[in-house]
Amino acid sequence: MPLAFSATQQLKLPIRHQSDRLVHYLNEEERVLQAMLNATQLERLAPQHYTYTVTRLQVFQLQIQPVVELRTHPSPGRLELEALDCQLDGLGLVDDFQLTLNSWLEAGEQGLEGEASLSVQVSQPPLLKLIPPRVLETTGRSMLSGILLGIKARVGQQVVEDFQRWCRQE
């Protein structure tokens, strides 16, 4: 029986100055992604196609590093992001692993709004067979929530700072 866990995070971020320019800023897809994620861990493969190497995660005695293939779906004033594939470096052999990411960020009347949903299904790794599945699922939910909270914090700080810098440069 595979383990399954998920997390969702919503964003409502007021932007007081030049919020009318957010629509145009969100068209700068690569710039927004670099501000939202760690730019040094993001690699552009083609237009609207990226890989993102997530910071190493510690799961009990295992260290894993997800490498996620991402596709963006930009539209005026809105940037959608989905995971196409994910490889786990460091987990060893698992029978199955599936990561689902769907998120969006858009210019609203008061600033930025968005939502991200992240879920994982994976078979229980042999090294963790002695740990009850509920404990692993609780740990997984907590880890996914932490990842989404980290991204939300980056949006609240780095994306806002980058937007202000972009406004000054334009």
Side-chain angles (χ1 to χ4, degrees), residues 4 7-8 11 13 29 38 53 55 58 69 74 81 85-87 91 96 98 115 119 129 133 150:
T8 301
L11 173 76
L13 185 64
E29 162 198 314
N38 185 332
T53 304
T55 304
Q58 180 83 29
E69 185 179 350
L81 185 64
D85 191 23
C86 181
Q87 303 299 316
L91 192 55
D96 57 4
Q98 183 178 2
E115 183 175 284
S119 63
K129 287 288 186 193

Side-chain angles (χ1 to χ4, degrees), residues 91-145:
L91 192 55
L93 295 175
V94 292
D95 295 332
D96 57 4
F97 176 81
Q98 183 178 2
L99 178 134
T100 305
L101 167 69
N102 290 298
S103 67
W104 55 270
L105 185 64
E106 71 181 13
E109 290 183 22
Q110 303 298 316
L112 287 173
E113 297 176 9
E115 183 175 284
S117 297
L118 184 58
S119 63
V120 169
Q121 282 191 337
V122 64
S123 59
Q124 192 166 350
L127 289 173
L128 302 179
K129 287 288 186 193
L130 297 176
I131 299 173
R134 287 185 191 246
V135 171
L136 293 173
E137 289 174 351
T138 300
T139 302
R141 273 192 302 278
S142 176
M143 191 177 346
L144 294 183
S145 291

Side-chain angles (χ1 to χ4, degrees), residues 29-30 33 42-44 48-51 68-70 72:
E29 162 198 314
E30 188 170 359
L33 283 179
L42 183 70
E43 179 184 354
R44 183 174 187 228
Q48 302 174 349
H49 193 194
Y50 300 84
T51 58
V68 184
E69 185 179 350
L70 300 168
T72 59

